[in-house]
Amino acid sequence: MSALSIGIVIASAVPAYAATDRSGAERLNIPNSSACRAGRTVLEGMVAGPGGQLYIIFSKGSAGEPVLSRWLRDGSTWDGASWTCAGAPTPMPQLGHGNDLAYNANYLGQGPALIATQGSQSAFPSDDVTIVHLSTNGSIGATEVVDLPIGNISGLCYSATAAGGAGKYAARRLGSLWTHPGAGSLTSGWTLVKSNLTSHDNRSDQGIDCSENYIWNTRSINDSTPDTGWNWIYQYNWSGGDVESDIGIPGNNLTDEIEDVTHVGSDFFVAVNRNGGSADSVKVLTE
């Protein structure tokens, strides 16, 4: 396994700020000129869906106007040339800020769906999520909006293998971690698991990902981060306990801004929004 596979269950003994570069090979390069961006300059949430397809939200930043793009893998190897955009992206104002995406293969027994947070940590707070129903081949369908009783969140993920295969959601807002059983409506049934998650200074919470045993939380550079600053990923168990807290993705003089993390099988990827006109990137997250 190329990512997060060896030694992952052992809490790191390295000081939290002693991170090393954990961004590996590029899997997808997305210049601003890409038709799959529809003129949107900011990469937002990303998640792997049916068959390992990637779904990525692009927006105009504070101006909004998000689109949902769908990427198909056309090769057997995980390389930068193995992805193609599945037609024009879908304009979808219901995505709001589109900070994070989760995927549930059988949402409420209705088939596959994406679940998008509408808010971010501070600038665009929202307690709404948007359900984007998918066809069996992964194409984008109808949407609906669900209001969460736990208040504003900026990160959301779902693992079908968590809770002994029953499935489970995780949601995060600032230092708090909430969970929800895989079955049942998202309008109730949430449990506050922890309210003081580990963090590094004041970086911005971005997207999260989860698997059978773990949750990954991305924290990004912002306008108060030193020029030498890093993006961070923290690995928790489902109780919010630290597993690893020094996973670093370089900020490259505040150019590379981590937005989200997702996985396809044992391969983990990070979505990087590159400011200043550089091509955005999806890279392997290495162990």
Side-chain angles (χ1 to χ4, degrees):
M1 293 187 294
S2 63
L4 297 182
S5 57
I6 301 174
I8 197 166
V9 298
I10 302 174
S12 173
V14 179
Y17 288 94
T20 55
D21 186 348
R22 300 284 287 277
S23 59
E26 186 172 68
R27 288 295 179 259
L28 184 58
N29 182 279
I30 317 172
N32 283 342
S33 59
S34 169
C36 218
R37 304 180 70 114
R40 275 63 171 178
T41 57
V42 180
L43 183 153
E44 305 279 7
M46 176 184 75
V47 73
Q53 300 176 51
L54 287 179
Y55 295 83
I56 304 175
I57 296 171
F58 296 100
S59 80
K60 295 181 178 180
S62 59
E65 299 184 35
V67 295
L68 179 60
S69 64
R70 173 176 167 237
W71 300 80
L72 307 178
R73 203 176 115 220
D74 64 357
S76 59
T77 58
W78 293 109
D79 59 33
S82 66
W83 299 93
T84 58
C85 179
T90 304
M92 197 171 289
Q94 304 94 314
L95 294 175
H97 185 69
N99 192 70
D100 199 2
L101 279 169
Y103 169 67
N104 188 327
N106 193 21
Y107 173 75
L108 296 182
Q110 301 170 6
L114 306 177
I115 308 172
T117 61
Q118 290 197 15
S120 67
Q121 174 175 294
S122 55
F124 306 94
S126 176
D127 57 4
D128 289 334
V129 295
T130 300
I131 313 301
V132 182
H133 295 277
L134 305 175
S135 68
T136 54
N137 70 0
S139 58
I140 297 167
T143 64
E144 59 183 288
V145 175
V146 173
D147 183 75
L148 301 185
I150 57 177
N152 303 328
I153 66 167
S154 53
L156 179 73
C157 62
Y158 173 78
S159 171
T161 56
K168 201 171 187 178
Y169 292 92
R172 194 224 51 251
R173 163 75 175 164
L174 298 174
S176 296
L177 174 67
W178 297 77
T179 61
H180 184 284
S185 170
L186 295 176
T187 58
S188 63
W190 290 91
T191 299
L192 177 61
V193 173
K194 195 168 185 179
S195 58
N196 58 341
L197 295 171
T198 298
S199 65
H200 286 313
D201 57 51
N202 64 346
R203 283 166 173 78
S204 299
D205 283 319
Q206 302 279 40
I208 68 175
D209 187 36
C210 46
S211 64
E212 180 178 359
N213 297 310
Y214 304 112
I215 299 167
W216 288 266
N217 173 32
T218 62
R219 284 178 69 83
S220 176
I221 61 168
N222 57 29
D223 55 13
S224 63
T225 304
D227 284 352
T228 55
W230 290 65
N231 299 283
W232 297 93
I233 297 177
Y234 308 91
Q235 186 191 10
Y236 308 115
N237 58 35
W238 279 88
S239 297
D242 290 339
V243 178
E244 189 172 9
S245 60
D246 67 338
I247 302 171
I249 307 296
N252 292 335
N253 297 320
L254 304 187
T255 298
D256 291 359
E257 178 185 1
I258 189 172
E259 294 282 347
D260 212 345
V261 57
T262 192
H263 69 279
V264 179
S266 61
D267 292 287
F268 280 73
F269 306 115
V270 292
V272 178
N273 178 57
R274 305 193 70 204
N275 299 285
S278 299
D280 292 339
S281 185
V282 176
K283 295 182 178 181
V284 170
L285 177 62
T286 64
E287 171 59 22

